[in-house]
Amino acid sequence: MSSAPPRPLPPGRTLIAGVGNIFLGDDGFGVETVRALGAHALPDGVELVDAGVRGVHLAYRMLDDYRTVLLVDAAARGGEPGSLYLLDATDPADAAARPENTPLDAHHMTPDAVLALLDTLSAGTGARRPERVLVVGCEPADTEEGIGLSTPVAAAVDEAVRLVLRLVGAQEPAPAPTGAPTATSERNTTPC
């Protein structure tokens, strides 16, 4: 996916979807960020959903007349843990790189797999794809089995919330005062 600066979001309905598995450490970044976004007022026409690991459901929902979709997820791209990325998944170069035959395994569907399935579903149903699909991604530190975000990823949640609010034109919260404690989370690595 491209990391080029985003074009302004088109007018119309917008879906913000948190993606990830909360039982795999930092993979729960998208779900935690969407939970934090729930405390903020969003503009009319902007909807928030915790998609979790329900990739097939998310692909169908994305065809429900949304102009823009913002996916929030962990994104391993080789940066420092906690680094945020804004990726444009509607870049034509990225569409060519998506897999053609997407397995319907709802527990292992990455945003790329959801977008590939979206291509198939929109062609088969005649439904309209969103004009823009952006991914707000965070570099994970630990995606091993366990509940809770690592310290650098937990600290990135507030920044991701501000980024998403800025993208949808909502009022941003004031930054935390300098010297204020950062968000931390203990990891429970006891197997379920």
Side-chain angles (χ1 to χ4, degrees):
M1 290 183 202
S2 169
S3 59
R7 302 182 312 265
L9 296 181
R13 291 179 61 213
T14 298
L15 176 67
I16 303 168
V19 179
N21 187 336
I22 63 168
F23 298 111
L24 295 177
D26 291 340
D27 194 49
F29 168 78
V31 172
E32 183 61 25
T33 300
V34 164
R35 185 200 60 75
L37 278 164
H40 299 277
L42 297 172
D44 289 340
V46 176
E47 297 174 36
L48 194 59
V49 64
D50 170 357
V53 296
R54 298 179 313 276
V56 174
H57 176 77
L58 175 59
Y60 275 105
R61 183 151 186 188
M62 288 171 68
L63 293 175
D64 193 22
D65 202 31
Y66 292 102
R67 297 286 299 272
T68 303
V69 174
L70 296 174
L71 301 175
V72 185
D73 194 11
R77 299 181 59 81
E80 290 294 316
S83 298
L84 289 180
Y85 309 107
L86 180 60
L87 309 166
D88 189 345
T90 47
D91 183 333
D94 294 326
R98 284 200 278 283
E100 289 199 23
N101 296 321
T102 304
L104 295 179
D105 181 353
H107 296 288
H108 296 96
M109 289 188 72
T110 64
D112 280 341
V114 169
L115 293 170
L117 179 59
L118 184 63
D119 290 338
T120 302
L121 293 175
S122 62
T125 63
R128 188 175 63 104
R129 291 179 45 107
E131 288 179 28
R132 295 288 309 280
V133 178
L134 299 176
V135 178
V136 175
C138 181
E139 187 73 39
D142 182 5
T143 56
E144 296 296 317
E145 219 174 87
I147 297 175
L149 301 177
S150 65
T151 300
V153 172
V157 168
D158 287 341
E159 185 181 347
V161 166
R162 284 190 294 278
L163 173 60
V164 170
L165 291 174
R166 190 169 40 249
L167 286 168
V168 299
Q171 183 174 348
E172 293 179 55
T178 305
T182 58
T184 59
S185 175
E186 288 186 29
R187 292 233 328 128
N188 175 3
T189 57
T190 306
C192 298

